[in-house]
Each structure stands twice: as C-alpha cells, then as structure tokens.
Amino acid sequence: MAEEFQAGKMILSDIGMFNEAKILFEEVVEPAVLGAVDECVEAFAKAEQWVGVFKFAGDEKDCWLAPVQWNIGAESDELDPKAWLAVDWFNNDCDYWTALFCNQGRSGGKAGFMFGADNDTFGKKIAWNKAFKQIDPIAIAELKKIGFKIVENADGKQTFFLPFHLDAAALAKTWGNDGEFSDGDPCFDPVKAALEKLKQALPIFDTIMNAWPIKSSPKSDSSTQLADPELV
C-alpha cells in the first residue's frame, strides 16, 4: 500500500505529464499495437484460408479466426463458426491489452489465443464442463505440449489458452524508429509463432470436436452475417 501512496504522489506532482501520457497511450500507442496484432492474425488467416474477424483495434476489441471447416454458415460467405480461437485474456484486473501482451498485468493476467465454441457445439452451454471432462487425456497432453494451458474464461468455464508475450523493449525500439507498427516488425514475431502453434494444434481440436455432432441452425435469410462468438 505504501508503494501505491508513493506512486500517487508522483502522479499528482506532475499531473499534466501523466494526463498527456495516458491520453497518448490510449489514443495512439495502444491502438497501434492492437492494429499490428490484427494484421498478423489476418495475414495468417488469409495465407491458410481460415475465416475470422480482425477488428481488435476497434471499439469491440474483436479478433478471432477459425479454419474453414469450422465454419457452418448456410451460405459460402457467411461467418458462423462452430468454434474459434480468439485473442483474449484470463486473470485480468482492468489492465491495458499492451500490458497483458508484455506480461505486465497487475494480477498476473495474460493474453493470448483462447478456444471458444458455439453453445450448440457441445450440447448447449450447460454441458460444456461435462464435455470437457470427457476429452481424451492424450489430446489434452498434446495441447499442453504445444503450449496450451487450461484456464477459466470470463464465464468461469475451463477451456484451452495459448499465451504469447511481446517484449516491451522491442516494441519501444520499433516505435522509436518512425512512431508506428506493422505486422512485418520483428517485435510481433511472438504473435506469428503462436499462430503457427494454432495450426499445429488444429488436428487435435478437430478430434475433440468430432466427438460431438454439430448442426447448423436454420437462417431467416441468405445475407452475410457476422458471428458474435460467445466463449463456452
């Protein structure tokens, strides 16, 4: 608590600088980091012919992807995945995304890719915990070997999570060159490495999901609709 008091004293002693820094970070720096993450995920999805939404830098903070065989939309251009892998967090304490990416969350929170599924995928939401307990231990061991962890999502449900960490010093060095980021910057290589692990884990996830029958819900029209994924 004493450290918090001292930090508060420092902030108040130069409130103008801290105010300017907070606004700059929220309006310029953080959107640039999130935008580069978007670009990395979108580039991977296009190269692998996966589907997804890449709007992490937007207000909804929505960035997820799924292999095309997980998309069960009635129309070829309709996004309606039975499961997905989304940029998400666990154990967050109102931290900035960039802090979580850099493993600097106040409560040890982490960011990465979290597995989620449509409510119907495993026999409705209430059946997920039961389904999770029935997953082959060998499949779980293989996912852990790749780097996945078992965590609780925002709904308190156990699921699979693949963390990745960005290096703050590398981000600062890249930002210092021209004040912007792109998916080609080496400081975002950890995102690309995590995406390759998602591809490596795909056969395991396919095996897990193939243990349950999947049905596509009937649509009222044939227009393209964006899914609003809700984590299991």
Side-chain angles (χ1 to χ4, degrees):
M1 187 63 70
E3 292 181 357
E4 293 182 0
F5 291 156
Q6 289 300 316
K9 182 178 180 179
M10 291 178 59
I11 291 172
L12 291 171
S13 66
D14 199 346
I15 189 64
M17 181 196 71
F18 277 94
N19 181 63
E20 184 175 351
K22 183 176 185 295
I23 293 173
L24 176 64
F25 182 79
E26 291 180 346
E27 296 185 357
V28 180
V29 179
E30 171 117 316
V33 173
L34 304 190
V37 173
D38 263 336
E39 291 176 8
C40 289
V41 179
E42 184 172 14
F44 174 87
K46 287 183 177 179
E48 298 297 327
Q49 296 185 324
W50 288 23
V51 299
V53 169
F54 318 104
K55 298 180 180 179
F56 198 44
D59 293 337
E60 296 182 1
K61 299 293 180 288
D62 191 14
C63 183
W64 60 268
L65 74 169
V68 68
Q69 64 266 30
W70 291 6
N71 191 39
I72 56 175
E75 302 295 326
S76 61
D77 59 351
E78 180 183 1
L79 289 180
D80 186 16
K82 62 183 180 181
W84 53 86
L85 291 147
V87 178
D88 211 325
W89 52 261
F90 80 96
N91 200 29
N92 184 17
D93 187 23
C94 299
D95 296 299
Y96 288 107
W97 276 104
T98 301
L100 293 174
F101 288 146
C102 294
N103 203 24
Q104 295 296 317
R106 290 183 299 171
S107 300
K110 297 183 183 298
F113 290 98
M114 187 175 289
F115 175 77
D118 182 80
N119 290 344
D120 291 335
T121 299
F122 295 97
K124 299 298 183 182
K125 190 172 184 178
I126 58 174
W128 166 246
N129 285 338
K130 180 179 179 180
F132 190 89
K133 293 176 181 178
Q134 295 175 356
I135 294 174
D136 188 341
I138 294 177
I140 293 178
E142 290 176 343
L143 288 174
K144 287 183 175 180
K145 188 181 298 184
I146 292 172
F148 282 85
K149 301 178 181 296
I150 295 176
V151 303
E152 287 189 359
N153 62 25
D155 292 329
K157 306 294 184 181
Q158 285 188 313
T159 189
F160 299 104
F161 180 79
L162 180 67
F164 62 81
H165 299 150
L166 302 181
D167 183 82
L171 289 173
K173 182 178 180 181
T174 303
W175 179 263
N177 292 337
D178 52 19
E180 60 183 25
F181 295 121
S182 75
D183 63 321
D185 293 327
C187 55
F188 293 100
D189 284 351
V191 182
K192 299 173 187 177
L195 288 163
E196 289 298 324
K197 290 183 179 180
L198 298 187
K199 182 169 67 173
Q200 182 183 351
L202 178 57
I204 306 171
F205 281 118
D206 277 337
T207 299
I208 291 172
M209 290 190 296
N210 286 340
W212 284 268
I214 309 299
K215 294 182 179 180
S216 179
S217 300
K219 306 297 178 182
S220 58
D221 59 63
S222 59
S223 61
T224 299
Q225 302 176 14
L226 293 183
D228 182 15
E230 179 182 345
L231 290 176
V232 292

